[in-house]
Amino acid sequence: MSFDHRPGAGKSTVAQPSAERADTPGKQTLTSLAGVSSSPGVAGRAEYGGGDVRARIGNLAEGSHPGVKKGGAGKRKIGNISGGSFVRDAAPAPAAEPTAAKGHDTDRAYVGSASSHVADRTTTDGTTSVRMEDENDGQAAMIAAAVTRARQILDNAVGKIGSPSDPKTSAALQANFHSTEAKVATEVASKLGRIRNAFNGTIPVEVESEGTSRAYVYVIWSDIHLCPPWFADTNPDARARTIIHECSHKYTGTDDEAYHWDGKYATLSTKDALDNADSYAWFCMDVL
């Protein structure tokens, strides 16, 4: 999904008539919903797999997908499915909200029994904490490992950008930002530093049970949403690269001007590349 804080943001980088699918819950173009504005600065951003060009656009808050989804601790039970029909509860099921969920998505709802849900949790590797929502134990392990690996990759990249004349660093700058000028290296270093600094705190992650995108965020105050294709990827560095991509959106406000697999990527202007999340993620990979 593409999130943005400026006019024209929130777009998919490949314009096709099928880019906006209204037949998938939570994936239709959000500006098509009644009462939703498409004003600048209220879009969303995501990393897609090759060929996936659907976009989320609009000012809906993080976690406010159309429809009802199952959730973890801290959600309010509103009913059950009986005989294929939804039966609303007379009153919310009494349950204490766990500390990890306080102040976070407490107005969201779920359908079914509490036993079918997974608890939210916060983990840490001693440097970076990860606050997770809607994850199971296996997913939690994958997320924690990916965040740790993303930080290691960022540490390497921050060190390499400090020597922009190094052949490997220079080649990565040219490939991903189409320039080796000092001012370009300085801006890349600044944004990589801001992304890396976020890993000294808490990275918020929410697991989605559907979607063909790898991941997405809703503007800067959003959780990082991880979708099934991200968990299906068996390459640990590729999963870490996605974390860096989404953190670029979240912590530096970059857009999705073009994805690495898109032919447009190689022809981006340096200005657009400096505003492109995948450019930072792939620079990090190219200097490994």
Side-chain angles (χ1 to χ4, degrees):
M1 335 240 39
S2 317
F3 301 81
D4 214 78
H5 305 101
R6 45 185 195 74
K11 55 186 176 297
S12 168
T13 56
V14 184
Q16 296 182 9
S18 62
E20 298 166 355
R21 296 176 51 185
D23 59 343
T24 307
K27 302 300 183 187
Q28 65 266 47
T29 304
L30 299 183
T31 46
S32 67
L33 302 178
V36 173
S37 167
S38 60
S39 57
V42 291
R45 303 187 180 109
E47 184 186 27
Y48 293 84
D52 189 337
V53 296
R54 292 184 299 158
R56 296 173 195 260
I57 306 173
N59 61 352
L60 292 185
E62 177 266 315
S64 61
H65 301 80
V68 178
K69 61 169 281 187
K70 288 185 177 181
K75 310 302 186 300
R76 178 172 57 86
K77 183 176 183 294
I78 59 173
N80 288 282
I81 300 298
S82 177
S85 300
F86 172 65
V87 180
R88 180 176 293 275
D89 285 352
E97 182 183 322
T99 301
K102 283 192 178 298
H104 178 68
D105 284 354
T106 54
D107 58 337
R108 292 172 59 198
Y110 66 83
V111 176
S113 64
S115 62
S116 65
H117 307 137
V118 290
D120 299 344
R121 75 189 84 189
T122 298
T123 66
T124 182
D125 62 5
T127 299
T128 308
S129 296
V130 187
R131 190 192 73 226
M132 306 179 201
E133 183 176 345
D134 294 352
E135 81 295 341
N136 60 39
D137 290 345
Q139 290 169 333
M142 291 177 71
I143 294 167
V147 169
T148 295
R149 180 57 179 156
R151 189 184 69 236
Q152 294 168 346
I153 292 172
L154 281 163
D155 282 339
N156 177 72
V158 169
K160 292 294 179 63
I161 194 63
S163 301
S165 61
D166 173 80
K168 192 170 187 178
T169 304
S170 179
L173 283 169
Q174 187 62 45
N176 296 289
F177 299 98
H178 316 306
S179 173
T180 58
E181 293 184 28
K183 64 180 181 180
V184 172
T186 297
E187 182 167 346
V188 173
S190 175
K191 287 186 177 177
L192 287 177
R194 287 162 60 188
I195 297 169
R196 173 57 183 86
N197 285 342
F199 285 72
N200 292 329
T202 300
I203 305 296
V205 175
E206 183 171 346
V207 173
E208 296 295 336
S209 60
E210 61 180 25
T212 58
S213 303
R214 290 172 64 86
Y216 62 91
V217 297
Y218 285 106
V219 287
I220 61 174
W221 31 261
S222 164
D223 289 354
I224 294 170
H225 295 249
L226 298 177
C227 301
W230 186 88
F231 292 98
D233 194 331
T234 59
N235 185 333
D237 279 0
R239 293 197 297 266
R241 186 199 69 230
T242 296
I243 298 296
I244 295 171
H245 176 112
E246 299 306 329
C247 284
S248 174
H249 286 320
K250 180 172 176 60
Y251 298 109
T252 73
T254 53
D255 195 6
D256 282 323
E257 300 289 349
Y259 295 104
H260 191 260
W261 49 263
D262 183 357
K264 182 182 175 183
Y265 188 89
T267 62
L268 285 177
S269 67
T270 296
K271 179 181 178 181
D272 283 345
L274 287 168
D275 188 38
N276 186 48
D278 235 15
S279 297
Y280 293 91
W282 279 97
F283 173 85
C284 290
M285 303 309 295
D286 286 348
V287 296
L288 273 178

